[in-house]
């Protein structure tokens, strides 16, 4: 077994592997890994920033976005896992096999842009953390994040799993602080429930933040990542075993996303309750009007006292670095899948980080802390706009009997997922169109500039819609080569002694794309 087992154990996942009394829980434990690794992205600095601003500006009004996005993420991430389990290929590989060279190249470029956009909050979050800990200017902190790749790799020489447990401990400690702060802030339960279950968007600013929340919760690169991570497990090619794997991956994803959901709700609720409090002091009130990660530590003052700034910075640093791990894996799988090209993890990580540093540095120098915080919101919006170019292929592939055989999505799941995808695209196009029109007519532009920008802007929107329409309307052509046995005769002919010859997973080429580990091969029983 490869070193990747330190992160994702490669068990023989069969319902008969364990005794009948504890088979469910032991099998569930064997599947734990991919969903939690993916869920790290749901509590990264980008999420913290959008949550804080949502609570400060709109109190609890945007909580429903978190609920909808979490439910959508559960369904979508489960489909990504199913695609890998059933076909033995991840999403990027399916795109390469399915689409002609030009569309495939464009999809690869968009996926890389999404990974860079996801890395921008990590860069800025780390810079803010360094500023809070050591009073380093934000722009210098942005430059120093380039070295965090080397530090991360050095720490991982002592074992990937140990590092991830440390990061998870720090992040969940901060989550515990926000939960405890809820006891001091005492948000009105009726208002919180109203915000969770009554959709409302008051103004263009709320729509922009809603898109940012959506982009921060349902990230394009996570779809590529999840469909690849499940390829590290041994799963017998039988109908029962594949259905069991899909069910357990959904349970694991549901638990991981539930934890992330509670954390995001608590951050918004604390921010909303504190910033709308009648007895808030003038200094904190000023921070609430322009709230970003660099000023948010005062929200935890009741729980942590004078240590609030330092502990918040440490958790922010941990959150950013843990998300860097997921970005590195996603980048590896995207490049391998679309281009059949592999880079060393440290080089892949460093290239992505350099591309993220450039806009972060420019904005930090010009706009300072507030500008850098706004860039996080913009990066999250980019992720939302790019989501259809990963989501539509996923929905097409998992709904296709050509790809998935008898494991294709049911009519109900197909309808729900397409409704989710359509709503995301409609919200994105609506916001783009209204914001652009507002800019043209209220931006104090000359007539020539209005005409030129209008032609360019609406042409870009037409290209965006045409690209989505191409993905939606194009019929799947390539069949999958690892479909499970679909006939009862073949299924009955597969007995326990013959299972070993039917293993098509784990994919050794996927499992080998790992960050370094100091120890040798690790088996987790």
């Amino acid at each position: 077994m490869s070193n990747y087992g330190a992160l994702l154990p490669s068990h023989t996942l069969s319902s008969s592997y364990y005794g009948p009394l504890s088979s469910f829980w032991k099998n569930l434990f064997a599947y734990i890994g991919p969903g939690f690794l993916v869920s790290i992205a749901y509590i990264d600095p980008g999420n913290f920033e959008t949550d804080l601003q949502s609570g400060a500006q709109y109190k609890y009004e945007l909580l429903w976005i978190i609920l909808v996005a979490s439910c959508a993420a559960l369904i979508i991430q489960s489909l990504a896992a199913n695609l890998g389990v059933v076909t033995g290929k991840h999403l990027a590989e399916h795109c390469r096999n399915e689409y002609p060279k030009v569309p495939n190249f464009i999809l690869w470029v968009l996926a890389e842009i999404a990974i860079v956009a996801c890395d921008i909050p990590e860069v800025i979050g780390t810079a803010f953390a360094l500023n809070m800990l050591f009073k380093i200017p934000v722009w210098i902190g942005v430059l120093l994040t380039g070295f965090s790749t080397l530090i991360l790799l050095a720490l991982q020489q002592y074992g990937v799993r140990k590092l991830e447990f440390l990061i998870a401990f720090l992040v969940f400690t901060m989550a515990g602080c926000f939960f405890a702060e809820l006891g001091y802030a005492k948000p009105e339960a009726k208002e919180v429930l109203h915000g969770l279950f009554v959709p409302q968007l008051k103004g263009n600013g709320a729509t922009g933040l809603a898109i940012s929340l959506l982009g921060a919760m349902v990230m394009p690169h996570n779809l590529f990542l999840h469909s690849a991570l499940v390829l590290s497990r041994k799963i017998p090619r039988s109908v029962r075993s594949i259905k069991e794997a899909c069910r357990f991956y959904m349970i694991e994803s549901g638990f991981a996303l539930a934890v992330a959901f509670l954390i995001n709700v608590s951050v918004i609720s604390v921010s909303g309750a504190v910033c709308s409090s009648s007895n808030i002091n003038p200094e904190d009130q000023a921070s609430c009007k322009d709230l970003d990660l660099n000023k948010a530590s005062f929200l935890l003052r009741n729980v942590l006292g004078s240590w609030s700034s330092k502990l918040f910075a440490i958790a922010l640093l941990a959150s950013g670095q843990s998300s860097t791990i997921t970005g590195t894996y996603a980048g590896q799988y995207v490049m391998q899948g679309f281009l059949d090209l592999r880079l060393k993890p440290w080089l892949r990580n460093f290239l992505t980080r350099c591309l993220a540093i450039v806009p972060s540095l420019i904005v930090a120098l010009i706009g300072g802390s507030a500008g850098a915080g706004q860039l996080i919101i913009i990066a999250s919006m980019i992720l939302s706009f790019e989501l259809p170019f990963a989501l539509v292929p996923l929905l097409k592939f998992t709904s296709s009997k050509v790809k998935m055989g008898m494991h294709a999505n049911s009519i109900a799941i197909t309808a729900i997922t397409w409704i989710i995808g359509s709503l995301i695209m409609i919200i994105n196009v609506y916001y783009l169109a209204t914001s652009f029109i507002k800019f043209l007519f209220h931006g104090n532009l000359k007539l020539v500039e209005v005409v030129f920008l209008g032609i360019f802007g609406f042409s870009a929107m037409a290209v965006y819609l045409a690209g989505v329409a191409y993905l939606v309307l194009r019929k799947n052509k390539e069949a999958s080569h690892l479909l499970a046995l679909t006939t009862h005769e073949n299924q009955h002919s597969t007995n326990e002694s013959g299972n070993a010859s039917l293993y098509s997973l784990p994919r050794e080429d996927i499992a080998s794309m790992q960050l370094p580990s100091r120890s040798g091969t690790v088996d987790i029983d």
Side-chain angles (χ1 to χ4, degrees):
M1 182 179 154
S2 67
N3 289 347
Y4 195 76
L7 183 61
L8 295 174
S10 182
H11 286 284
T12 301
L13 300 178
S14 170
S15 59
S16 62
Y17 182 80
Y18 299 106
L21 294 178
S22 58
S23 62
F24 175 85
W25 292 107
K26 288 186 176 180
N27 271 339
L28 178 59
F29 180 77
Y31 283 97
I32 288 176
F36 275 91
L37 189 61
V38 168
S39 71
I40 290 173
Y42 297 106
I43 46 177
D44 72 342
N47 284 89
F48 281 134
E49 175 73 26
T50 51
D51 290 348
L52 291 168
Q53 290 204 17
S54 299
Q57 295 180 33
Y58 297 97
K59 206 173 180 181
Y60 317 122
E61 291 179 11
L62 299 181
L63 281 174
W64 67 275
I65 293 287
I66 298 295
L67 179 61
V68 171
S70 297
C71 295
L74 174 59
I75 297 172
I76 293 168
Q77 294 296 160
S78 297
L79 294 185
N82 293 353
L83 182 68
V85 169
V86 174
T87 67
K89 294 189 288 186
H90 59 79
L91 180 57
E93 290 176 320
H94 278 289
C95 290
R96 185 182 73 205
N97 294 334
E98 180 67 34
Y99 299 115
K101 288 185 177 180
V102 173
N104 181 71
F105 180 79
I106 293 172
L107 288 175
W108 170 70
V109 170
L110 291 173
E112 294 289 0
I113 292 173
I115 292 170
V116 172
C118 184
D119 202 43
I120 286 175
E122 273 73 270
V123 168
I124 295 174
T126 302
F128 282 162
L130 293 174
N131 176 261
M132 285 185 271
L133 287 171
F134 308 111
K135 305 301 180 185
I136 297 174
V138 173
W139 69 271
I140 295 178
V142 167
L143 288 174
L144 290 176
T145 58
F147 297 101
S148 68
T149 297
L150 303 177
I151 296 171
L152 185 68
L153 292 172
L155 288 174
Q156 286 189 330
Q157 295 294 327
Y158 297 95
V160 176
R161 202 168 180 83
K162 292 177 182 177
L163 178 63
E164 292 227 323
F165 275 129
L166 174 62
I167 290 171
F169 173 75
L170 292 171
V171 172
F172 283 110
T173 297
M174 179 52 58
C177 292
F178 272 102
F179 290 145
E181 182 67 27
L182 283 174
Y184 288 93
K186 292 182 173 60
E188 285 287 338
K190 288 184 179 179
E191 292 184 34
V192 172
L193 290 174
H194 186 269
L196 272 173
F197 296 106
V198 180
Q200 51 186 323
L201 288 174
K202 297 179 180 177
N204 215 38
T207 305
L209 266 179
I211 290 174
S212 299
L213 285 169
L214 195 62
M217 286 295 291
V218 189
M219 300 184 183
H221 74 283
N222 265 356
L223 306 185
F224 297 105
L225 177 64
H226 206 168
S227 64
L229 288 175
V230 298
L231 300 180
S232 66
R233 308 301 182 85
K234 287 183 179 179
I235 301 173
R237 308 312 298 169
S238 67
V239 173
R240 186 186 65 180
S241 297
I242 288 178
K243 284 185 176 180
E244 181 186 75
C246 293
R247 184 176 74 253
F248 277 118
Y249 278 129
M250 184 170 187
I251 293 171
E252 185 226 6
S253 297
F255 183 73
L257 287 169
V259 173
F261 167 76
L262 292 175
I263 292 173
N264 282 287
V265 168
S266 68
V267 173
I268 292 178
S269 299
V270 167
S271 176
V274 172
C275 289
S276 62
S277 174
S278 57
N279 58 358
I280 187 173
N281 64 57
E283 182 183 352
D284 292 345
Q285 191 173 25
S287 296
C288 284
K289 290 180 180 178
D290 190 22
L291 189 60
D292 59 38
L293 291 171
N294 209 21
K295 303 173 184 175
S297 61
F298 77 89
L299 295 173
L300 301 177
R301 197 174 296 146
N302 287 325
V303 176
L304 302 175
S306 60
W307 284 89
S308 62
S309 177
K310 303 299 182 185
L311 291 180
F312 182 82
I314 291 171
L316 189 60
L317 196 62
S319 172
Q321 295 312 305
S322 62
S323 299
T324 298
I325 296 173
T326 63
T328 300
Y329 281 123
Q332 286 285 89
Y333 298 138
V334 161
M335 188 169 284
Q336 173 268 329
F338 280 108
L339 305 180
D340 197 21
L341 178 65
R342 294 170 175 82
L343 292 178
K344 292 182 179 179
W346 71 266
L347 180 59
R348 165 75 225 188
N349 195 326
F350 195 72
L351 289 174
T352 302
R353 180 53 54 92
C354 288
L355 290 173
I357 281 176
V358 173
S360 302
L361 181 62
I362 293 172
V363 171
L365 284 170
I366 296 174
S369 174
Q374 195 60 34
L375 182 60
I376 293 179
I377 302 295
I378 294 171
S380 297
M381 292 172 67
I382 290 173
L383 291 173
S384 181
F385 294 139
E386 289 208 15
L387 183 58
F389 295 98
L391 180 58
V392 172
L394 176 66
L395 300 186
K396 292 273 288 186
F397 296 158
T398 55
S399 300
S400 170
K401 290 189 180 295
V402 174
K403 299 277 185 190
M404 302 283 285
M406 67 177 294
H407 302 283
N409 296 339
S410 65
I411 295 175
I413 292 296
T414 300
I416 292 171
T417 51
W418 278 108
I419 289 171
I420 292 170
S422 300
L423 287 175
I424 290 171
M425 287 181 269
I426 290 170
I427 292 172
N428 287 344
V429 172
Y430 168 79
Y431 179 78
L432 277 175
T434 54
S435 299
F436 187 64
I437 291 171
K438 183 179 179 181
F439 171 72
L440 287 179
F441 289 100
H442 302 285
N444 297 322
L445 300 173
K446 296 179 181 179
L447 181 61
V448 176
E449 294 173 332
V450 170
V451 173
F452 177 78
L453 289 174
I455 294 173
F456 177 80
F458 286 110
S459 298
M461 286 186 210
V463 170
Y464 178 87
L465 292 173
V468 174
Y470 170 80
L471 296 176
V472 171
L473 299 176
R474 187 182 185 278
K475 290 185 177 181
N476 294 325
K477 295 180 180 179
E478 291 289 335
S480 175
H481 68 290
L482 283 181
L483 285 173
L485 301 171
T486 55
T487 65
H488 288 289
E489 291 78 7
N490 285 337
Q491 186 180 353
H492 285 305
S493 69
T494 304
N495 54 40
E496 293 302 321
S497 61
N499 272 347
S501 64
L502 291 173
Y503 284 148
S504 299
L505 300 177
R507 287 268 305 276
E508 291 300 330
D509 58 328
I510 297 297
S512 65
M513 285 193 288
Q514 60 195 359
L515 296 174
S517 177
R518 189 177 183 179
S519 57
T521 57
V522 179
D523 291 314
I524 299 179
D525 298 322

